[in-house]
Amino acid sequence: MKLYRFLTGPDDATFCHKVTAALNKGWHLFGSPTYAYDKKTKSMRCGQSLVKDVEGQEYRADTKLSDW
């Protein structure tokens, strides 16, 4: 199965750690990161798409992506 995730977070080290953790679980960057201003919190937010191929498994709607 092919999995897709979009991670978001504040522009700080926690976002980088979140992406790094996913990369270390076998996820791969997909496309360019995004960066936008959040007017409500008056802060910058980051986003990054990730994909992962998992052999021998079938995707289901209740698949918990963070488990992979």
Side-chain angles (χ1 to χ4, degrees):
M1 81 176 143
K2 183 177 285 284
L3 301 174
Y4 170 86
R5 292 176 74 185
F6 185 71
L7 300 179
T8 63
D11 180 23
D12 62 16
T14 60
F15 177 75
C16 295
H17 285 284
K18 189 187 301 188
V19 173
T20 299
L23 293 172
N24 280 283
K25 286 184 167 185
W27 290 83
H28 300 278
L29 299 176
F30 184 77
S32 299
T34 60
Y35 197 59
Y37 183 71
D38 182 341
K39 286 196 284 187
K40 186 175 182 179
T41 63
K42 298 181 180 172
S43 63
M44 296 302 290
R45 307 259 319 155
C46 301
Q48 177 64 58
S49 295
L50 301 159
V51 293
K52 182 176 186 177
D53 289 315
V54 179
E55 297 296 323
Q57 298 290 322
E58 189 172 318
Y59 173 76
R60 295 175 11 164
D62 64 345
T63 298
K64 187 173 178 186
L65 299 174
S66 60
D67 287 347
W68 296 96

